[in-house]
Amino acid sequence: MIPLKLSLSGFCGVRDGLRRDSITIDLEQEAGGAALVALTGRNGRGKSTILDNMTPYPVMPSRAGADGLGAFSYYDEVYLPENHKELEWAMDGMRYRSHLVMRLGSKRRTEAYLHQLGEHGWAPVRLADGTVSDGKMETYSRCVEGVAGSAATFFSTAFSAQQRRQLSAYRNGEIKHLLGDLLRLDAVRARGEHAAEVVRLLRSGLQDGRWRQQAQRDTLARLAAERNALGDTATKAELAGQNRNVAAARLDAKRTVLAALRAEQAVAASHEGRRAQLLQERAAALTERQHGLAALETELGREQAALDELAQRHAQRATRRETTLASLRAQRTTLLASIEQARHAARAAKRLPVMLAVLGRRETRLAEARDALAQGERMAADLALAQAKCAAIEREAGQAALAAQDLRRRFALTAEVPCAGMALQAGCKLLADAHTAHALLPDAGAVVARLNAQHAALAEQIASLRGQAAGMPRARLAAQAAEERLVRSRDRLAQCERQAARLDALAQSGAMLEAAEARLAAHGEQAAAERAEDDRAYTERQHRIAGLQRRRALTARPSQVAERIDALLAALPPAFDERAITGAAGDCEQAQARLQQAEQAHLGALREHDRARDLARKHAAQSRACEYQKRQTLRLERHLEDWELLAKALGHDGIIALAIDDAGPALSALANQLLLASYGPRFSVSLQTQLATAKGELREGFDITVHDAHSDCVKSVAKMSGGERIWINECLTRAMALYLAEGDGRRSATLFSDEADGAFDAQHKRRFMAMKREVLRIGGYTQEYFISHTPELAEMADVVIDLERYAAL
């Protein structure tokens, strides 16, 4: 596969790096005939985007995971409503064109076409199996792989994307899958996958069979438990039949007793008519007597109610009389008290002038006491003011004394200053301050003398005020006592005034007392007359009630008619007892219910017996089904063992591992040839498909071992430096491509690498370029496109495609 022309439209990498919506690179014109072609430009110019799209496969390996085979979507890499990728490429002398259209919008859609240039122009590719590129991504991928080979093989052997894992980082299954593709073991892998699918289905069927077998065992145990829970159903059915027969015999006996009682009832029915007539006549006589008694009871009730009403009226009149008597007696008592109060009021009227004179004298004394108290309070205030002034003078005198003392101290320095009497004394500030203090000494003494004189005058004034204020407590007590006596005098005067004011009203109490005595006498006579009248009426009512009670006693006695009827009733035979028939009928119903219960129990026992036989049949059938399922499970287990062995033999650890072992020396020889030509004889590699465990046993695995001729040691490639691993990895991947080409001749004629020299130093980078040329020579490749940020390596390329030329201004 050789890329010829690339056109990209709407890719984010091109827009961000070159500030263009589209770009077209004619690779056939730019790099025609060149072996090494370098893509250069600043970081972020879109070099990886262009290199990723130089293959017909619908993936950008540097954006997809799993070494270009992981999840990838073009929708994350484009931005226009309609985006295009057009690549013209050659394969085995034929020219192809890949055209991918990615549409963004409410409904995303991708169309992919692969055309082949023929005699009549471009036509859709058609594979040998009939697959035609019709615009669907699935058919496009199948057509590309049908023409250019497997994508997995291509990206593992011909395309080194950024951050691609090295072969040493592959897991055992991954590397064997890759080598299986390389060795064209697809048919073996397909049969192995088929065998693994059969194993999966057999395991699923075996699991279902085991579940069904367990369910059958549970059902078998449940049936056995239900059968055991029913017990001896035959004995139960026989016992229930016997109980039913006993209940039927008891019901017949109860029915016989009921028939005899009904015959007796028919004989006794002839006497019941006469008995009913006599009872009717007796009831009429008793009704008539009851009516007379009721009339007497009604009249007796009216008389008793009248007697009660009369007694109530008598009680009310007595209560009223007692109330009137108590009121008159209370008036008399009040009038007697008023007469006594009139005497006190007359005496109070005589004492009123004397009490007024006493009140005036006591008011005068209280005013004098209050004046004396006010004078004492003014002297106390003057005393407090004088004491405050004295304290202030004392503080001021103390300050003046301290100031005078300080002036004397400063003046005393004149004798101690060293410059005294010398020419320097005119400029000495200390000596000048001492002379200033001497000038101020007389004024300080005068202030101290003035303050002492003021203090002495205030001390005399304070002594005088203290003597005058000594009588303050006595004056305060005297004022308090005068005020209390004045209050008592005012209370007594007010009381005398109230009593004297009632004197005129109390003077009429004598006449009112005589009238009250007269009303008391009249009330006594009226009360005696009312009591006599009430006693007479009460006696008359009692006599009337006694007569009615005698008539009621006579009416309540049995009459002669009732006695005659009772004698006739006694002569009749006794009445038939209906309760006997009711009891017999109830006994028959109970016996019938017991018979029904016995019959139901018998039917239930029969059903349980049938249920037990049915459970026995089901238990036997389930036992046979369980045995059959057991045989089926054993047969599936034997088949599963056979297919598991076949799946393992056709899997990565079976025939594929053996094929890899067979191809290992050839791959190693090709890789060593490339290493010898590009790096020298120092390193040689070998492929190991079995690894030793800690116990010394061999297990299936994969490792690349390297023999270092300089140190004469063998170690895993994973333990080598980063640059050495890249050398060996590049030689191995190219060796795999050469081995693939030798196998069927279909391989890519172009190699791709994206910044694979990052881990090399300057010297090894140059040798790396030499290795690239050697790989092209030995492998028979046409050219290699690579990306490198090392200017020296770009200069060593045959052609440099500088993307700076394609950037928009």
Side-chain angles (χ1 to χ4, degrees), residues 607-665:
R607 284 194 295 270
E608 286 186 356
H609 186 56
D610 294 340
R611 171 68 175 164
R613 289 185 294 182
D614 183 59
L615 289 174
R617 288 193 299 272
K618 289 183 178 179
H619 187 274
Q622 193 67 32
S623 298
R624 292 191 296 273
C626 189
E627 288 296 329
Y628 174 75
Q629 186 62 44
K630 183 177 180 181
R631 291 193 299 272
Q632 289 293 104
T633 302
L634 293 174
R635 185 171 64 85
L636 285 176
E637 289 177 351
R638 290 193 297 272
H639 282 296
L640 179 61
E641 292 176 357
D642 297 339
W643 280 98
E644 284 180 344
L645 180 59
L646 180 61
K648 184 176 181 181
L650 297 176
H652 289 155
D653 296 334
I655 295 176
I656 294 178
L658 294 176
I660 293 173
D661 287 340
D662 291 340

Side-chain angles (χ1 to χ4, degrees), residues 150-161:
S150 169
T153 304
F154 175 80
F155 288 116
S156 300
T157 60
F159 199 107
S160 297

Side-chain angles (χ1 to χ4, degrees), residues 297-318:
E297 288 291 344
T298 302
E299 187 175 358
L300 184 61
R302 285 197 300 268
E303 291 296 331
Q304 186 66 39
L307 180 62
D308 294 340
E309 183 179 357
L310 182 60
Q312 184 178 4
R313 186 169 64 250
H314 290 174
Q316 292 176 353
R317 295 174 66 178

